[in-house]
Amino acid sequence: MSEKKIQLYSLATPNGQKVSIALEELGLPYDAHTIDIRKGDQFTPEFVAVNPNSKIPAITDPNGPNGQSLNVFESGAILLYLAEKTGKLIPTDPIKRSQCIQWLFFQMGGVGPMFGQFGHFHKYAPEKIPYAIERYTKEARRLLGVLNKQLEGKQYLIGDEYTIADIATFPWVRCLDTGYKGWEVIGVAEFTNVTAWLERCSAKPASQKGFNVCSF
Amino acid sequence: MASLQPIKLYSHNTGPNGWKVAIILEELAIPYETIFLEMGDGENGVKGASFLKINPNGRIPAIVDPNNNNFAVWESAAILQYLAEKYDKKRELYPESIEERAIVNQWVAYQISGLGPSQGQFFWFSRYHSEKLPSAIERYKNESLRLYKVLEQQLAKNEWIAGPKYSIADIAFYPWVKILPYVGIDTTELPNVLKWIEKMA
């Protein structure tokens, strides 16, 4: 029976957590394989065949077209694929659907890369470069401000409905604390709509489960 | 096609992302007018109050579609999807099936989350920022080159970026990759990328 389960290749980083959380929310059966990027697992020929970019997460869906299996990489593309396939976690109304996709891509092109650069220069870079830390701290704050405004008077990013736009984004906001220890430096607590939304999303059982899939 | 009112495209004189949208509008023969914004928060600025109503993130591109109750779309990839889904009746640029879409979407995502940001930061640190910070420049140059090498592998095996068919993935990459010969990255190991640039022109 396990041949029919989605195979997840991942690690418990924000991008990996997005997909684990979505799989848990959707109740889709899957087998999780930890790809430890600290050990170079992402460069094995087997994994490169699934994702030529050597990044996690990636999935193989054995129930692909014509009974063939399909590899999908890029967390946002995976979220969209799972949502379209199940019809869940994405609005049916075309206007709301487009808005959901806009916020999903905002996470992919903005929040992820820029929070990631903050993490690099604040925590990981061997050389402390004040200008770079400042640049990405400012951009992280700007992005949190945009999220904060959007969440005003709303439960989730596009209103009452919890979608893949939320799932893509909140693990990254959480990572500013748990991963990068940058919560105070960035001043995340000032963005009260964001912190309330983060708590709301994190408290879901699927999120709690998803945070720990393929753990370090 | 019943005559369409021109789509408003908000863009900027510099920066590759606005061109992605211009390309698809031209491909689909949709009338449009371009409004060039300035940097900053002035009246005609990307961070100005009136544009922030269209895109709360204050970045270009964004479109407003008068053929759809002035619906606004921002994030270049979301705009490409929206225009393809709404106006590409032949379904040539963005496939119908969920699985084929997944393949196109993964390469679009790769551009917007990988190549764009890395090359963008590389430009910033190597050309625009006044202070030269070697480790930052190296970081983004190396990651950009790595991403290009992956693209090279993909184009060695495929006619177009997402496979045998031209798609919004090619459109998403083109404005960023077209300038590759001028970027300051070694292109000697990227022959298929260079061939693709010529094919796209």
Side-chain angles (χ1 to χ4, degrees), chain B residues 64-109:
Chain B
V64 170
D65 187 354
N67 306 295
N68 192 7
N69 298 312
N70 289 326
F71 182 57
V73 187
W74 45 278
E75 281 303 317
S76 63
I79 299 171
L80 292 178
Q81 274 196 15
Y82 170 79
L83 290 172
E85 290 191 321
K86 198 156 166 69
Y87 296 108
D88 180 14
K89 299 301 177 203
K90 295 190 208 157
R91 294 288 176 255
E92 281 169 347
L93 296 177
Y94 189 45
E96 290 268 34
S97 81
I98 292 176
E99 291 82 10
E100 285 177 286
R101 286 187 171 200
I103 294 174
V104 171
N105 284 335
Q106 70 190 358
W107 288 101
V108 172

Side-chain angles (χ1 to χ4, degrees), chain B residues 99-144:
Chain B
E99 291 82 10
E100 285 177 286
R101 286 187 171 200
I103 294 174
V104 171
N105 284 335
Q106 70 190 358
W107 288 101
V108 172
Y110 178 100
Q111 189 282 310
I112 66 168
S113 71
L115 193 69
S118 284
Q119 193 171 312
Q121 298 315 300
F122 176 57
F123 278 151
W124 178 261
F125 283 102
S126 62
R127 279 167 202 232
Y128 294 111
H129 183 51
S130 47
E131 192 190 341
K132 291 304 163 228
L133 299 163
S135 66
I137 295 174
E138 254 334 90
R139 170 180 172 78
Y140 296 111
K141 185 177 186 179
N142 289 340
E143 178 62 2
S144 299

Side-chain angles (χ1 to χ4, degrees), chain A residues 52-55 63-65 70-74 76-77 80-81 84-85 94-95 97-99 101-103 105-106 108-110 113-114 116-117 120-121 127 129 131-132 135-136 139 142-143 146 150, chain B residues 47 56-59 68 71-75 77-78 81-82 85 94 98-99 101-103 105-110 112-114 117 120-121 124-125 129 131 133 135-136 139-140 143 146-147 150 154:
Chain A
N53 192 21
S54 291
K55 299 237 164 187
N63 302 304
L70 175 72
N71 295 328
V72 189
F73 61 87
E74 284 298 321
L80 252 180
Y81 172 69
E84 293 197 316
K85 208 168 163 157
I95 298 277
R97 184 171 175 275
S98 175
Q99 288 166 344
I101 288 172
Q102 290 172 59
W103 286 99
F105 285 130
F106 166 79
M108 301 280 291
M114 295 297 114
Q117 300 323 302
H120 172 77
F121 287 106
E127 188 194 339
I129 304 177
Y131 167 72
R135 173 179 171 80
Y136 298 107
E139 179 64 1
R142 189 192 72 78
L143 291 164
V146 173
Q150 178 63 11
Chain B
K47 303 285 194 293
N57 193 26
R59 301 184 81 198
N68 192 7
F71 182 57
V73 187
W74 45 278
E75 281 303 317
Q81 274 196 15
Y82 170 79
E85 290 191 321
Y94 189 45
I98 292 176
E99 291 82 10
R101 286 187 171 200
I103 294 174
N105 284 335
Q106 70 190 358
W107 288 101
V108 172
Y110 178 100
I112 66 168
S113 71
Q121 298 315 300
W124 178 261
F125 283 102
H129 183 51
E131 192 190 341
L133 299 163
S135 66
R139 170 180 172 78
Y140 296 111
E143 178 62 2
R146 188 193 71 78
L147 290 162
V150 173
Q154 178 66 2

Side-chain angles (χ1 to χ4, degrees), chain A residues 1 3 10 20 23 28 34 51 102 104 110 123 128-129 137 140 149 158 173 191 195 203 208:
Chain A
M1 208 38 201
E3 300 85 27
S10 193
S20 311
L23 287 167
L28 290 169
T34 301
N51 185 358
Q102 290 172 59
L104 174 69
K123 184 174 174 193
K128 286 293 167 239
I129 304 177
T137 302
K149 194 145 189 246
I158 56 164
V173 178
F191 302 96
T195 53
Q208 289 296 309

